[in-house]
Amino acid sequence: MMQMRSDGPILTRSEGAILEVTLSRGKANAIDLATSRVMGEVFRDFRDDDALRVCILRAEGEKFFCPGWDLKAAADGDAVDGDYGIGGFGGLQELPHLNKPVIAAVNGICCGGGLELALSCDLILASDTASFALPEIRSGTVADAASIKLPKRIPYHVAMDLLLTGRWFDAEEAQRWGLIKEICPQTALLAKAWDLARLLESGPPLVYAAIKEVVREAEDMRFQDALNRITKRQFATVDKLYSSEDQLEGAKAFAEKRDPVWKGR
């Protein structure tokens, strides 16, 4: 059964264990402080709802995914260092303990904070009309989150080229550098995102949670230190997984040559 809800510029609908979040704010989908705070609440609720396992983030319209920070709102008084809400800019960038997969479905222009928002997702699908840039350099400011994330995701010199020049690049180049999983025809993008979400919905949520926590926490750790924390069950999600019904179910299903039934406990 499909459930739909509207929180001003944010539309949500859910089916089964999948939540679709749509940014719908004017013709460009730029994000101001109020919108960011709403997004943080939506993603927090997704994180905390055991009935939901996967999220799709998309935007209304064909021309813009998101250009990032709303400069018109800034001119009217929104402070660039203001209160973005619980999840930081766009609700995802700094949301703690989000241990569920999030898929970005990028259609059209995705630049500045919009690209940083997409980078906060775990998987990115893009339409063949998508275009990307980090143009903050041209307006005399820094792409803060991208300056931290991008050199860790793609080759250093490529990241620096994009950060220092602010140049535009298309979906094919984004895929070449490993930023996106797949390029889809514009008309098929949302369906592809839902196909991927349904695949993840059928998977083991406790394993997803462990993967996300380990990847996040191990980013700045030595390999052996991180591995020791896993084997000693010092990650909360790993400890929960190793004591779970799902861990036993996975082994039983393999031995019995059947598909496992994941309960998330």
Side-chain angles (χ1 to χ4, degrees):
M1 180 178 178
M2 184 74 73
Q3 296 184 345
M4 305 186 71
R5 175 179 153 194
S6 174
D7 286 298
I10 304 301
L11 311 176
T12 61
R13 64 175 181 143
S14 60
E15 183 178 285
I18 301 171
L19 175 70
E20 180 187 282
V21 178
T22 302
L23 178 58
S24 179
R25 186 168 183 269
K27 64 180 182 180
N29 297 316
I31 297 174
D32 62 357
L33 290 177
T35 300
S36 182
R37 289 193 288 267
V38 171
M39 294 176 76
E41 293 168 2
V42 168
F43 289 120
R44 178 202 60 201
D45 292 347
F46 163 69
R47 178 196 66 188
D48 297 342
D49 187 342
D50 291 339
L52 296 173
R53 296 185 179 184
V54 186
C55 179
I56 299 168
L57 173 62
R58 62 179 293 263
E60 197 74 36
E62 298 180 355
K63 188 174 181 181
F64 287 94
F65 173 74
C66 177
W69 177 237
D70 187 340
L71 294 178
K72 290 183 179 179
D76 290 337
D78 264 14
V80 70
D81 57 350
D83 178 12
Y84 290 105
I86 184 174
F89 181 80
L92 275 178
Q93 229 160 235
E94 301 171 59
L95 185 64
H97 311 302
L98 178 54
N99 293 327
K100 300 176 181 181
V102 181
I103 302 164
V106 176
N107 191 35
I109 292 172
C110 176
C111 65
L115 178 50
E116 292 175 325
L117 181 59
L119 290 172
S120 298
C121 300
D122 302 296
L123 297 163
I124 304 174
L125 303 181
S127 74
D128 50 12
T129 62
S131 57
F132 306 86
L134 294 163
E136 284 87 342
I137 187 74
R138 299 175 187 173
S139 56
T141 190
V142 61
D144 47 12
S147 296
I148 298 167
K149 291 181 177 180
L150 207 58
K152 296 178 180 180
R153 308 280 181 85
I154 65 177
Y156 172 84
H157 293 100
V158 177
M160 294 304 289
D161 170 33
L162 300 178
L163 288 164
L164 294 174
T165 67
R167 69 174 177 83
W168 288 88
F169 57 104
D170 59 17
E172 288 187 1
E173 183 175 357
Q175 187 177 44
R176 187 163 70 245
W177 299 125
L179 281 178
I180 64 176
K181 168 181 167 56
E182 186 178 349
I183 301 173
C184 313
Q186 188 178 61
T187 54
L189 177 63
L190 188 56
K192 286 278 190 178
W194 272 87
D195 286 345
L196 180 57
R198 290 187 181 102
L199 173 65
L200 296 179
E201 180 190 25
S202 69
L206 296 184
V207 178
Y208 293 157
I211 289 170
K212 287 204 64 173
E213 184 181 25
V214 168
V215 169
R216 183 175 62 246
E217 297 298 322
E219 188 172 29
D220 295 318
M221 297 174 65
R222 292 174 57 249
F223 170 80
Q224 195 61 53
D225 292 339
L227 190 59
N228 287 344
R229 286 194 63 187
I230 295 171
T231 57
K232 295 177 181 178
R233 298 170 63 155
Q234 292 176 344
F235 290 111
T237 54
V238 173
D239 184 54
K240 183 176 181 179
L241 171 66
Y242 286 176
S243 302
S244 69
E245 292 179 30
D246 278 3
Q247 179 85 357
L248 293 174
E249 168 64 7
K252 287 181 180 179
F254 179 81
E256 295 169 5
K257 298 181 180 180
R258 60 173 175 82
D259 291 334
V261 179
W262 307 117
K263 298 179 180 179
R265 61 175 189 265

